[in-house]
Amino acid sequence: MSDYYKVLGVSKGCSDDDLKKAYRKLALKWHPDRNPGNKEQADKKFKELAEAYEVLSDPEKRRIYDQVGIAGLKGASGDGPGGFPGGFSGAFPGGAFPGGQFHFSSTSGGFTPSSAEQIFAQFFGGASPFSGGMGMDIDSDEDRHSPFGNSSGGFPGGFPGGFASSMPSQKRGTPGSNSSSRKPDPIKRQLPCSLEDLYLGNTKKLKITRKTIDGSVQEKILTISLKPGWKAGTKLTYANEGDEVARGVFQDMEFVVEEKQHPRFTRDGDDLKCTVELDLVDVLSGGSTKRSIETLDGRRIEVDMTNLRNSAETRIVRGEGMPISKSPGSKGNLIVTAAVRFPTGLGEAQKRELRRLLSGGMNL
C-alpha cells in the first residue's frame, strides 16, 4: 500500500468527517459480498481501505504515519516513549517521538492492522448488510441511498427493536481502540415468519437464554421488528447477545428469516402467486368466471378470468404483490393462474354429444 490518503481519496489535511465519509462510501462499494464477480480485487481493496481508515482515524497513529510512513508505523514499539526497531531509534531528538508517548493495540512489533471485517462492523454497528445483515438493503454506493448515511459512522436509530445500546461503546468507536482478535462466530437461529408478517410488518418478542463463562444462565427478551417486504434469508444481528465464550467476550445472535408456507399464496421475489378454480362448462359457455380473492391484508379484489385460451392461463393484477423493501410504497404483482376443472364420469353418449357440439369450433 503506497499512501493511506490516496487509498481513501482524501487530502493530508482532511478532517475526521472527511475520513468517515470517504471510508463509508468506498467500503460499501468494495465490500466483497457486494462484488461476487470480482472477489479477489474487492477483497484487496476492502482490506486496504480498512487499514487506511484504522490508521488515519486514530490521531496517534496518523501522527506517526505522517512523520515516518508505513514502515515506521508498523515497526514502532508498542510500549513506550520513543524508539523504533530496525534503525528508527535515532529518528528524533532524544529518541522520543514528537508529541509524547504512543501505544498500539498489538503487544509488540508496532502496529498490526485489525481485520477488515472487524473495522467494517465497528464502523457500521453490525455485520455485512449485503447478505441481509441487520435486515437492511443497500442499492447504491452514494451516501444518500445508504442506510448508514449519517456522518457519525453508526447505525441510525440503533439496532432493530430498540437495542441501540446492546453493543458496548468500545465496539462502536475508533477501530484502533480495540483488540484485533477475531470476533467469535455468531449463534444462528431461524425466525419463522408468515407471509402476513412479511407483507404488513410485525413485531416479535423472543425469549433467549445465554451462558456466561462462570456457568450461570441469563434470560432476556429480544424485540424484533420485521420490515414489510423482507424475504427469506434476511439476517438480523444482535451484537453480544449470545453466549460468553471468554471473559467479557460474547457471541452475536443472528436470526435468519424463514418464510412459512401459506395456504393460498406462494411468493416469487416481490410477486405473489395464487390459483383459482373454474369449471370447464363456465369457461366454454361464458358462465361465472370472475373470482374474488382475499389479500394478505384482508381486502377483497375481483379478478376476471374470462376469454381463457388454455387451462393454465394467468391474469396479472399489478401492485397487489409483496411490498418492496428497497422502494417504500411500491409492491410487486399478483399473478393469478386458472385451474380448469374437467367433468368426470361422462357416459359414452355424453361424450359423443360433447364432441359433436365442440367439433364446429375446435379441431378434435
Side-chain angles (χ1 to χ4, degrees):
M1 189 183 301
S2 59
D3 187 320
Y4 287 144
Y5 292 102
K6 288 183 179 179
V7 168
L8 290 171
V10 295
S11 66
K12 195 169 182 179
C14 65
S15 66
D16 287 344
D17 281 346
D18 293 333
L19 287 172
K20 289 173 182 176
K21 290 176 182 177
Y23 175 73
R24 180 174 61 251
K25 181 175 181 179
L26 292 172
L28 292 174
K29 177 181 179 180
W30 287 106
H31 196 288
D33 287 350
R34 199 177 189 191
N35 295 272
N38 191 22
K39 198 86 172 179
E40 186 174 346
Q41 183 186 7
D43 187 63
K44 180 181 178 182
K45 292 282 291 184
F46 188 65
K47 290 177 179 177
E48 290 178 349
L49 290 165
E51 182 177 331
Y53 179 72
E54 182 174 16
V55 171
L56 298 183
S57 63
D58 184 291
E60 189 175 51
K61 293 184 181 66
R62 183 174 177 176
R63 186 169 62 251
I64 297 172
Y65 170 72
D66 287 344
Q67 292 289 335
V68 297
I70 298 173
L73 176 71
K74 293 187 175 180
S77 167
D79 293 318
F84 289 86
F88 281 95
S89 60
F92 303 102
F97 189 82
Q101 297 183 353
F102 54 89
H103 302 274
F104 295 126
S105 59
S106 59
T107 57
S108 64
F111 165 66
T112 300
S114 303
S115 75
E117 290 291 352
Q118 182 183 6
I119 298 298
F120 186 88
Q122 290 166 3
F123 186 91
F124 290 114
S128 167
F130 304 108
S131 55
M134 303 305 293
M136 301 302 295
D137 297 297
I138 296 180
D139 292 323
S140 171
D141 298 333
E142 298 301 323
D143 294 341
R144 64 179 179 274
H145 291 151
S146 167
F148 312 115
N150 60 79
S151 62
S152 66
F155 192 97
F159 289 98
F163 280 81
S165 61
S166 63
M167 177 177 284
S169 59
Q170 66 268 25
K171 296 287 186 181
R172 299 173 63 87
T174 301
S177 62
N178 292 299
S179 167
S180 60
S181 60
R182 181 178 176 272
K183 176 77 174 176
D185 291 334
I187 298 174
K188 297 185 179 182
R189 295 287 184 269
Q190 294 295 314
L191 181 64
C193 301
S194 67
L195 266 183
E196 285 83 358
D197 289 337
L198 300 176
Y199 182 90
L200 297 168
N202 198 2
T203 299
K204 291 180 176 286
K205 293 184 181 293
L206 300 180
K207 182 179 181 180
I208 64 169
T209 60
R210 71 176 183 183
K211 300 175 183 177
T212 63
I213 201 71
D214 60 8
S216 64
V217 177
Q218 300 175 345
E219 293 185 350
K220 185 173 184 177
I221 302 295
L222 291 182
T223 301
I224 299 180
S225 298
L226 301 176
K227 182 179 177 182
W230 277 359
K231 299 175 181 177
T234 298
K235 297 177 182 178
L236 299 95
T237 301
Y238 289 82
N240 306 314
E241 295 292 355
D243 294 337
E244 187 179 25
V245 296
R247 185 67 62 185
V249 179
F250 293 88
Q251 294 172 283
D252 294 344
M253 286 291 297
E254 183 178 278
F255 296 96
V256 182
V257 171
E258 181 180 61
E259 200 172 276
K260 293 180 183 178
Q261 187 174 357
H262 196 273
R264 292 181 292 113
F265 296 101
T266 58
R267 183 175 184 175
D268 183 7
D270 295 320
D271 295 333
L272 287 173
K273 294 182 175 182
C274 70
T275 300
V276 294
E277 293 186 338
L278 302 171
D279 290 323
L280 178 62
V281 63
D282 291 328
V283 173
L284 296 177
S285 65
S288 176
T289 54
K290 293 183 178 180
R291 292 292 183 269
S292 178
I293 299 173
E294 184 177 356
T295 62
L296 291 171
D297 57 356
R299 296 176 294 112
R300 301 201 73 88
I301 58 175
E302 191 173 79
V303 180
D304 190 349
M305 304 298 290
T306 57
N307 300 319
L308 293 178
R309 292 171 299 209
N310 59 67
S311 60
E313 195 166 336
T314 62
R315 295 288 185 267
I316 297 177
V317 185
R318 302 199 177 278
E320 289 293 350
M322 292 294 292
I324 301 174
S325 59
K326 298 177 183 179
S327 181
S330 301
K331 292 181 182 178
N333 300 322
L334 173 62
I335 302 172
V336 184
T337 301
V340 178
R341 288 191 295 251
F342 289 85
T344 59
L346 292 178
E348 289 301 320
Q350 291 173 310
K351 292 179 182 178
R352 287 195 296 272
E353 181 64 15
L354 183 60
R355 181 179 292 273
R356 184 187 68 79
L357 291 172
L358 296 177
S359 60
M362 300 177 64
N363 295 320
L364 298 177

